[in-house]
Amino acid sequence: MATIVGVGVGVFVLTILMMISILACYLGGGSRYSNQISFGTTTLFLLVAVILLVSPRGESNKSVIETEIEGYDDTVTHRALMLASMLMAMFVAGGGIVFSHLSSPVFSKPVDHQIDVLSLEKKGGSADIR
């Protein structure tokens, strides 16, 4: 397996994808569709990251001592991914609750047809009610 400074190729692929995603969000920030661009690139990055994290590892040449110590649990990655996704969902939900609690409520304007007609008649216009 090819490593660069002790880090595998997958980490570099994830880093490059993250940089491309951040660059796309930054460049699309001034456009009309900035929300869609940000959401799309983030979703695409997360999808590719999950696929790369869950996919099986390649074969490696183990020494005699490493073959005697067979302690790698294949479910560790899946458990960590499940924990990370649950924590992220919890933080997003908490942020949504805090945002909805702190933001000011938006009320609709009352429809008072009589006041509108009277104010129009004061200005000298005709109130055409259909």
Side-chain angles (χ1 to χ4, degrees):
M1 178 176 277
T3 60
I4 301 170
V5 193
V7 178
V9 177
V11 175
F12 285 109
V13 170
L14 285 175
T15 305
I16 290 170
L17 284 174
M18 183 183 299
M19 283 191 243
I20 290 171
S21 177
I22 290 172
L23 182 69
C25 289
Y26 177 73
L27 292 177
S31 73
R32 180 188 301 179
Y33 304 108
S34 63
N35 291 336
Q36 289 87 355
I37 291 171
S38 298
F39 180 74
T41 56
T42 305
T43 304
L44 185 65
F45 169 72
L46 288 176
L47 183 69
V48 170
V50 165
I51 289 171
L52 287 176
L53 288 173
V54 175
S55 64
R57 308 277 193 281
E59 294 295 325
S60 63
N61 297 332
K62 296 180 181 177
S63 67
V64 177
I65 297 173
E66 289 175 341
T67 54
E68 290 178 10
I69 308 171
E70 284 291 327
Y72 183 73
D73 187 10
D74 290 333
T75 61
V76 170
T77 305
H78 300 292
R79 289 178 186 166
L81 187 63
M82 178 76 76
L83 178 65
S85 62
M86 288 171 56
L87 284 173
M88 187 169 48
M90 184 182 73
F91 286 131
V92 168
I97 290 171
V98 168
F99 177 74
S100 66
H101 180 72
L102 294 178
S103 62
S104 61
V106 178
F107 299 110
S108 61
K109 294 180 181 179
V111 179
D112 192 0
H113 186 69
Q114 183 178 3
I115 292 177
D116 290 338
V117 170
L118 292 175
S119 66
L120 185 63
E121 287 178 354
K122 273 186 184 178
K123 292 180 183 177
S126 65
D128 186 20
I129 302 172
R130 293 183 188 190

